[in-house]
Amino acid sequence: MTGPLERHPSPELRLMTEFSAPERSTILLHQLKATYHQSLPLFIASIGCALLVTLLLWEEHVTQDLLLTWLISTSFASLLQIALIGQFKKRCQQAFSLELWQGLFLGGALLSGAHWGFAALTMLSDTVGVTQLVALVAVAGLLVFATTIFTMSIKAFLCFALPPFFCLVIHTTLSFENYGYPFFFVNIIFAGFVIYSAYRHYKNRERTLIKELENESLIQYLDNGRRVAEELNEQLSNEVFSREAAEKELLSAQKTLETRVDQRTRDLTATNERLNQQVALRKSISDALVKSQTRLSQAIEASQLGLWDWDLTSGTVYQSAFHDAFKQRELTSADFIANLKQAIHPQDYPIAKQALSQYLKLQNNTYQVQYRIKQADDWLWIEDSGKAVKHDSSGNPTRMLGTRRNINAEKKRDEQVRLAKSVFDHTSEGVFVLDSHFCFVSVNPAFCNITGYSKEDLEGHYFIELSNTPQKYKVFSQAKDEIDHSGQWQAELFEKRKDGNYFPAWIQINSITNNQNEVEYYAGLISDLSDRKEADEKLNYLLNYDDLTGLANRSLFRDRLHNAVIKVRNSAGKYCLVMVDIDRFKQINDNLGHEAGDYLLKDVAQRISGAISNADTVARLSSDEFAILIEYNTDNDIAPQAEKVLTSLSAPYFVAENELLISCSIGISKLPENAKELQTLLQQAAMATQQAKYLGGNNIQFYSSALQNKSQYHMEVERELRKAMQNDELEVFYQPKVNVHTKHIDSAEALVRWRHPSRGLIPPSEFIHIAEESGLIAEIGRFVLLKSCQQAKQWSDKGMADIKVSVNVSAHQLRQENLVEAVSEVLKKTRLPESQLELELTESALMEDLNAATSLLKQLCALGVSIALDDFGTGYSSLSHLKRFPVNALKIDRSFIRDIVSKPEDEAIINAIIVLGHNLSLKVIAEGVESKEQLDILERLGCDEIQGYFIAKPLSPADMTDMLEQRKALISSAT
């Protein structure tokens, strides 16, 4: 007999409990997942414990080779198990074999336990010392830790724990005389307690898991039951309402009928009157029925339901107006089925047909189905419910009543809920939900991946408990105040993962309120900024450092220089800016290739950095331009450091199996002595560098005001020279060349002059080098070539003489690819014979690129023009290359002619050049002849032509024309 407080579960509760009982496979699946997710710390601890045991037994009786082998094997077994855990975490979201993964885990646990059993059997000494006790305690702690880890799998625990216990008992038994009974029984008792504790943990966790699964099933079952009950209550209410209305009508009709019979029996004479009363009564009943039907229709329309009545016996169907897809209200059973087939979505019709068929065949107790019907260009979700209200003698339905309702909004709402859950689960950012007390309610997988905590570690715990950000109480106090004030909070924190590693995190928390503006939940977002921080650091390096040399780039150097300017303004500090430019670096790139050039630049950067160890910044500003920022005390400190750089860069370089010797030009500007602004300081250092280059390179130049004036003068000349070309201020003068043997003028050299409107006639020595630096020399060269050919053509047309004009070609023009086309175009335009044009080129210009120069000269010779090698003997030793150049004449430089009378060695050099030229079938021309003595010596040595002030200075076209006319007159009179 039960007590007054004892309760027995109801049959319904027992049925729901049996229905919700989880299957054994489901329990095993959850246990396997929990075992995999919780066992990672154990195998990490196993590696640490193995290392501790190795250290403790290192100096004991066990050999070190055995200890190391055992340590490596044990660590490898644990790492294999850790890798297995990682693979399972990736595969557990998909379908997998439960038996395979359980067997793999048990095998890994048994392998790790066997290693510890091997250690207990072979590495313990026959006597127990302090070291052995510490090692045993460490292993015992590991086994106790295993009881908490393997609470979901007693098999895994036994696979891991039994080998150590078993081997320890064997070892104790073999050395029983040394250990004795106490130690033996302690081991047995400890093993028993640990195994029993693990078993109890396992059973408790198993019961808890079963209860959790049962509760989930019960909740789902009760939710379904509640929904079905609500639908049945609604249908029952409609039926009760209809039945009450029918009963009222029947009672009213019964009373009316009784009254009518009484009146007929009491007063037969008043038949006509009673008949009228009957008519009136029937009319009132009809009106009442019409009103009732109207109200019923209005109620159905207000509820947005559609009713249908299907008489299976007569095969007729009546349906209320609900949607145009269902067509007419009254139709036959065949038309009703055909109409449904036409209206319902093709994918949903088989489901609806099966549900109706199963209900009519008594296979289901209810008829309820959801399907889609066509509505314009879209589909509308409908829920159809029905129930049999009449049955035949066999229990088969003969009449069904049903309703239809629009569930499109519910479907969309369910889809939105599923979509929101999918986004919550699959977003890459960590999303979490907190209750009003900042306790975790839910987290998504990304949050677990970022923090390393599992859902079990987080849900139910306070946010501040799991946070390890520095000064977390102060931070979260400020966060709570800001959330209470504005409803949101966001900040960048330095958080700590479960494994102990810190990472930068961006956290944002927003409050979620109800209709009463009370906070119910907090929604949060966490992002791992580690990759972004690393990318920012890489980007910062790319933005501030040169990829090739690793030095600071122009942007970073300007920042450092700006800081130096600010420092100088605030204190008495002094800096100097040293610019280093490699001389003729382009030739190295062109001859050896850009890879060799890059290698050389890296070597130069290393030498500069090594030469000046106290430099504030060393940077690469452009291709072959470097800059050094140095803080100094006195002016005497600057020059020695610059000399060290120059000396270091002058040492040989070995690039691509070539030994290179380079020189550099160094310019220095001082801060604040020369300038107090960044841009001015850079310009001054660049001026000093250009001055060093102008002086031949391989030297050091300090900025001075004279350089500034010179630079301004160059800029002014360049600007006016551009205007001069536009205003046609350039003129071509001609210096005649006389044939030494015939004393006739055979040719003339074209020389450009600048007739300045205010400064008068300017010689080329004052503006040609500026034109070369600015690139204007190419345009000037084209102008001189055109004017010279036009003038030579005029002299030839006037019958004065077929004078050959010599036009100088600069190195800049040689570098242009269209020189041959330009010469050919001028000859065609002026119609001057090719034999009357001679181009003069310096050997230094040709030596810049021998192959290209040789090819260019061959193309010019193919046009028919003559080639003269100017300034011969003053540049490179071109004797070895002279045979490669298709030249027609050699011009001896004026430096040899100047002292030919007083210096026999100069006469010897000129004699050698003349002999060399004649042996090569070349015409030899001497320029700079200024006396009769010089002419006599050249005539004696066999020189072909002379040019110089002894004959004539450069003449204007008019003066040159007069000279030619006079010569012509003299020749005519002599003839």
Side-chain angles (χ1 to χ4, degrees), residues 642-656:
E643 289 288 350
K644 288 177 62 178
V645 173
L646 198 62
T647 303
S648 175
L649 297 181
S650 299
Y653 298 81
F654 296 93
V655 179

Side-chain angles (χ1 to χ4, degrees), residues 35 197 469 550 849 968:
T35 301
S197 175
T469 187
D849 191 339
K968 180 180 178 182

Side-chain angles (χ1 to χ4, degrees), residues 506-771:
W506 177 261
I507 298 180
Q508 180 178 347
I509 299 178
N510 295 332
S511 60
I512 302 175
T513 58
N514 55 19
N515 295 332
Q516 288 76 33
N517 202 26
E518 297 174 348
V519 176
E520 289 187 342
Y521 297 99
Y522 296 97
L525 187 71
I526 183 171
S527 302
D528 188 351
L529 302 179
S530 301
D531 294 339
R532 191 181 305 171
K533 292 285 186 181
E534 183 178 353
D536 291 342
E537 292 177 0
K538 292 181 179 179
L539 180 60
N540 183 61
Y541 179 84
L542 293 175
L543 291 176
N544 292 287
Y545 291 92
D546 180 50
D547 287 341
L548 179 63
T549 63
L551 300 179
N553 61 11
R554 180 180 291 273
S555 175
L556 179 59
F557 183 75
R558 291 179 69 90
D559 290 341
R560 299 280 176 84
L561 192 57
H562 177 71
N563 295 335
V565 171
I566 295 175
K567 184 177 178 181
V568 168
R569 290 176 180 174
N570 297 333
S571 63
K574 294 190 293 184
Y575 286 86
C576 67
L577 173 58
V578 181
M579 278 196 177
V580 181
D581 195 297
I582 302 175
D583 298 331
R584 293 177 294 278
F585 179 72
K586 183 178 183 301
Q587 297 179 14
I588 298 174
N589 262 346
D590 294 342
N591 293 327
L592 300 181
H594 290 280
E595 292 185 1
D598 291 344
Y599 184 85
L600 177 63
L601 289 174
K602 289 192 286 186
D603 201 350
V604 168
Q606 293 176 359
R607 294 192 185 188
I608 294 176
S609 301
I612 304 182
S613 58
N614 63 334
D616 182 85
T617 303
V618 180
R620 181 189 178 205
L621 301 185
S622 62
S623 175
D624 60 339
E625 185 180 15
F626 298 85
I628 311 167
L629 183 62
I630 306 174
E631 186 174 8
Y632 70 97
N633 296 321
T634 64
D635 292 346
N636 296 330
D637 299 336
I638 301 175
Q641 297 192 67
E643 289 288 350
K644 288 177 62 178
V645 173
L646 198 62
T647 303
S648 175
L649 297 181
S650 299
Y653 298 81
F654 296 93
V655 179
E657 300 181 355
N658 296 306
E659 181 178 358
L660 300 179
L661 290 173
I662 66 171
S663 62
C664 296
S665 299
I666 297 180
I668 303 174
S669 178
K670 290 182 274 187
L671 175 72
E673 182 177 333
N674 298 135
K676 294 184 179 180
E677 298 295 335
L678 181 148
Q679 191 61 35
T680 306
L681 191 68
L682 288 170
Q683 291 175 354
Q684 293 174 352
M687 289 181 193
T689 307
Q690 289 300 320
Q691 179 65 13
K693 279 186 170 294
Y694 181 75
L695 296 176
N698 199 31
N699 68 91
I700 302 170
Q701 293 294 317
F702 285 82
Y703 171 78
S704 64
S705 58
L707 288 180
Q708 176 70 23
N709 296 333
K710 184 177 180 180
S711 177
Q712 291 178 352
Y713 172 75
H714 282 193
M715 291 179 62
E716 183 179 354
V717 171
E718 179 182 345
R719 182 175 64 254
E720 292 185 352
L721 186 58
R722 292 182 185 275
K723 292 182 180 179
M725 296 174 63
Q726 296 175 358
N727 299 334
D728 199 20
E729 297 176 5
L730 297 182
E731 298 180 4
V732 179
F733 279 49
Y734 301 91
Q735 188 173 29
K737 299 179 185 178
V738 175
N739 190 306
V740 176
H741 308 296
T742 64
K743 303 301 187 290
H744 292 164
I745 299 175
D746 290 343
S747 61
E749 181 178 0
L751 300 171
V752 67
R753 296 293 187 268
W754 180 6
R755 193 171 296 279
H756 196 276
S758 59
R759 295 167 57 189
L761 195 64
I762 301 176
S765 59
E766 295 187 17
F767 67 87
I768 286 297
H769 66 283
I770 299 177

Side-chain angles (χ1 to χ4, degrees), residues 271-311:
T271 303
N272 190 33
E273 182 180 355
R274 287 195 297 272
L275 183 58
N276 292 333
Q277 291 178 354
Q278 286 288 336
V279 171
L281 181 59
R282 289 192 177 189
K283 183 178 180 182
S284 64
I285 293 173
S286 177
D287 292 340
L289 288 174
V290 171
K291 291 179 179 180
S292 177
Q293 185 176 3
T294 302
R295 290 171 182 170
L296 180 61
S297 300
Q298 292 175 349
I300 291 173
E301 292 179 359
S303 63
Q304 296 183 350
L305 293 175
L307 299 181
W308 52 269
D309 185 356
W310 188 4
D311 191 337

